[in-house]
Amino acid sequence: MDNYVAIIFDDHEQARAGLQALWVMDKVGDLTVHGASIVRRSDLGGYVDVSSKKTHNGFRTAAGIGLGALLGAVAGPIGMVLGAAGAATIATGAAVAIGGVVGGAVGGAADLAHVAENEAAEEAMIFLLKRGQYAVLTEVSETAEDRLDNRMKALSGTIRRRSRTDVLNDDFGASYYNDGLRYPYYNTYLYPYYYDPYYL
Amino acid sequence: MTDRITMLDVARRDAQDLHQKISENIANIERTTDADFKIVSDKAHALGERLKADAMTQNEKVKGFMLNAAEKLKAAPQQAKDNLATGAARLKQANLTLLDGSHAAAQSISHAVAELRGQATAASPAPAN
């Protein structure tokens, strides 16, 4: 099954170890990683940074909007609205600030008020990440989900997972995911191999 | 089945290496030349041709992912060359176009790998209790 997964860690070294372990699992065939990146939420201000390579970040454009949307999408439909809105405060590892709120998020925020009491919505509001936390964001194919769960639990990671089908259909409309060959824009920001995560 | 997985693993690694090389070119764009661009561009095209040929030995679903990757790899150099002709920041733009193609191809190949791995798992006998 193809899934988008957010693996949440309390510090950078744990997150780096999580990213390494993920690609080792790919190498031995426990699962297949299609791409992965690490994001962190700052202690001050709650900004989210996207780690990159020390050389060129490997992305065509600033990664903030894409990964903000994906973080929200893993949280579910409510998170999608917040994830897009949160992109306004997200910067890439290259410290490129994203300006402006995504249009769709403005209207969506009003709907959000109706479900604000809901625990799930409350959780989504923080994009799965508390201040100071890190997340390995990845798209994987896995036949046994407990393998990744057990490995990341051993590294003190907490896993949130949604199927690729659900995320893409929620994000781009019903039946978007029909032939499996479509790749949403945020996949561009998931590295297709291991990299040493670096923050400016 | 093992041979087909190995072949795809090699292609996937080549696509990952290609992506890395292009991103290095972009990082060092002031030292990157047209000749450097041609090297990665030719590699992308060659990998696309190889994937297209190898895809014919695979089942329909895996073939779909491989042909998709081949299409990205073969189209990107041409699109990149079109960018080369436009002038300003031409080399960086051309490399970025190539980067997009290699990224999409790497992901499509990894989906083909996942599909084959899944088929191999399904075909293997269940462990005895």
Side-chain angles (χ1 to χ4, degrees):
Chain A
M1 184 168 187
D2 291 347
N3 294 315
Y4 283 109
V5 184
I7 311 157
I8 298 152
F9 296 95
D10 286 335
D11 66 49
H12 173 65
E13 283 311 313
Q14 287 178 347
R16 183 205 294 263
L19 184 67
Q20 281 176 333
L22 185 71
W23 283 105
V24 169
M25 291 183 76
D26 175 281
K27 193 169 186 181
V28 300
D30 283 343
L31 47 71
T32 305
V33 181
H34 305 301
S37 287
I38 297 181
V39 298
R40 69 174 175 184
R41 191 161 189 222
S42 69
D43 284 318
L44 297 172
Y47 284 84
V48 176
D49 294 333
V50 182
S51 65
S52 71
K53 294 189 292 188
K54 279 191 178 177
T55 57
H56 180 260
N57 62 22
F59 304 139
R60 170 173 271 275
T61 53
I65 289 176
L67 289 179
L70 180 56
L71 255 179
V74 174
I78 301 300
M80 283 173 57
V81 173
L82 287 159
T89 63
I90 288 175
T92 67
V96 179
I98 308 294
V101 176
V102 176
V106 177
D111 296 335
L112 191 65
H114 298 298
V115 290
E117 318 80 43
N118 184 304
E119 273 188 24
E122 195 175 318
E123 194 167 44
M125 271 186 219
I126 55 170
F127 317 103
L128 304 168
L129 282 183
K130 294 174 188 164
R131 291 184 180 199
Q133 283 189 320
Y134 293 73
V136 175
L137 272 174
T138 182
E139 185 199 351
V140 295
S141 292
E142 46 191 348
T143 52
E145 294 179 354
D146 58 341
R147 288 179 185 165
L148 183 61
D149 293 354
N150 293 338
R151 186 71 191 100
M152 293 302 154
K153 194 174 174 185
L155 295 170
S156 305
T158 304
I159 287 196
R160 297 301 168 96
R161 178 190 276 111
R162 279 193 86 207
S163 80
R164 183 176 200 251
T165 312
D166 287 349
V167 169
L168 298 194
N169 286 349
D170 279 353
D171 215 351
F172 301 101
S175 76
Y176 175 90
Y177 185 85
N178 51 6
D179 59 6
L181 295 175
R182 298 184 186 199
Y183 299 95
Y185 65 96
Y186 37 69
N187 269 42
T188 310
Y189 309 121
L190 301 177
Y191 284 99
Y193 44 83
Y194 176 78
Y195 69 103
D196 193 23
Y198 173 74
Y199 304 88
L200 283 181
Chain B
M1 179 70 87
T2 307
D3 287 348
R4 286 192 291 156
I5 292 177
T6 304
M7 180 270 291
L8 264 182
D9 278 338
V10 171
R12 184 187 185 199
R13 199 162 53 241
D14 287 347
Q16 291 167 335
D17 289 346
L18 183 65
H19 184 280
Q20 269 187 309
K21 180 63 189 156
I22 299 165
S23 64
E24 282 165 16
N25 280 354
I26 297 168
N28 301 305
I29 197 67
E30 63 284 352
R31 293 195 296 276
T32 298
T33 64
D34 283 17
D36 295 323
F37 170 74
K38 186 172 185 316
I39 289 170
V40 286
S41 194
D42 288 349
K43 278 186 181 174
H45 194 271
L47 180 56
E49 288 289 355
R50 200 173 93 211
L51 278 168
K52 188 179 173 187
D54 290 345
M56 300 309 153
T57 65
Q58 304 284 357
N59 63 47
E60 284 307 308
K61 195 157 186 189
V62 176
K63 189 194 286 184
F65 287 122
M66 291 177 71
L67 290 178
N68 186 54
E71 184 188 316
K72 306 284 184 206
L73 287 166
K74 289 171 67 178
Q78 187 53 52
Q79 290 164 354
K81 274 181 197 164
D82 293 344
N83 284 329
L84 264 182
T86 61
R90 58 189 188 87
L91 206 49
K92 183 171 184 181
Q93 198 57 39
N95 275 284
L96 283 169
T97 302
L98 213 50
L99 187 75
D100 284 350
S102 68
H103 200 132
Q107 292 196 333
S108 202
I109 297 169
S110 74
H111 275 279
V113 169
E115 183 63 29
L116 264 188
R117 285 177 174 175
Q119 289 171 13
T121 302
S124 62
N129 289 325

